[in-house]
Amino acid sequence: MNTLSYKGYIGSVAFSEKDGVFFGKIEGINGTVNFEGESVKELTEAFHEAVDDYLAFCKDEGIEPDKSYTGALNVRISPATHRRAAMLARMSGVTLNAYIKDALEQKIGHAAVL
């Protein structure tokens, strides 16, 4: 998926051949905010305006703009991968949850999303 980024927000990007327009939405927010444009330049400007307007709206209304996450994640993996991870966790002396958490944190590292 193609994305745009601005002020720490990600915008998904798609193209409608039928309508001849690029369109997208701001991801990871409380609510739905869409934007569109007929060129990459127009789409980028519309995305920036949508983010600015959304942030102003949230400030005026006293709303938290970012979607909250619980920290619980349900991941579907193959039984073979599940078994291997469980065995490696046991060998490391930690729970499977701790093992997966550590593996995910190592994979993501401290890199910024945006």
Side-chain angles (χ1 to χ4, degrees), residues 59-105:
K59 183 178 180 182
D60 290 346
E61 297 295 320
I63 299 170
E64 173 61 40
D66 297 338
K67 179 179 177 180
S68 63
Y69 291 89
T70 64
L73 178 65
N74 185 10
V75 179
R76 305 228 187 293
I77 56 175
S78 72
T81 300
H82 190 167
R83 182 181 189 284
R84 183 162 166 78
M87 298 305 284
L88 290 168
R90 280 190 201 116
M91 290 170 52
S92 298
V94 297
T95 65
L96 179 57
N97 188 71
Y99 188 82
I100 292 171
K101 178 180 175 268
D102 183 57
L104 183 59
E105 287 172 351

Side-chain angles (χ1 to χ4, degrees), residues 6-84:
Y6 176 67
K7 291 187 175 179
Y9 291 90
I10 295 174
S12 60
V13 176
F15 179 73
S16 169
E17 185 176 2
K18 176 184 167 196
D19 299 322
V21 67
F22 294 98
F23 64 95
K25 70 176 187 169
I26 303 173
E27 301 291 340
I29 62 170
N30 289 317
T32 303
V33 177
N34 299 309
F35 54 92
E36 65 178 53
E38 293 183 4
S39 68
V40 173
K41 184 177 190 247
E42 281 185 18
L43 180 73
T44 302
E45 290 171 355
F47 171 58
H48 291 187
E49 184 178 329
V51 169
D52 290 339
D53 289 349
Y54 175 70
L55 291 174
F57 170 79
C58 289
K59 183 178 180 182
D60 290 346
E61 297 295 320
I63 299 170
E64 173 61 40
D66 297 338
K67 179 179 177 180
S68 63
Y69 291 89
T70 64
L73 178 65
N74 185 10
V75 179
R76 305 228 187 293
I77 56 175
S78 72
T81 300
H82 190 167
R83 182 181 189 284
R84 183 162 166 78

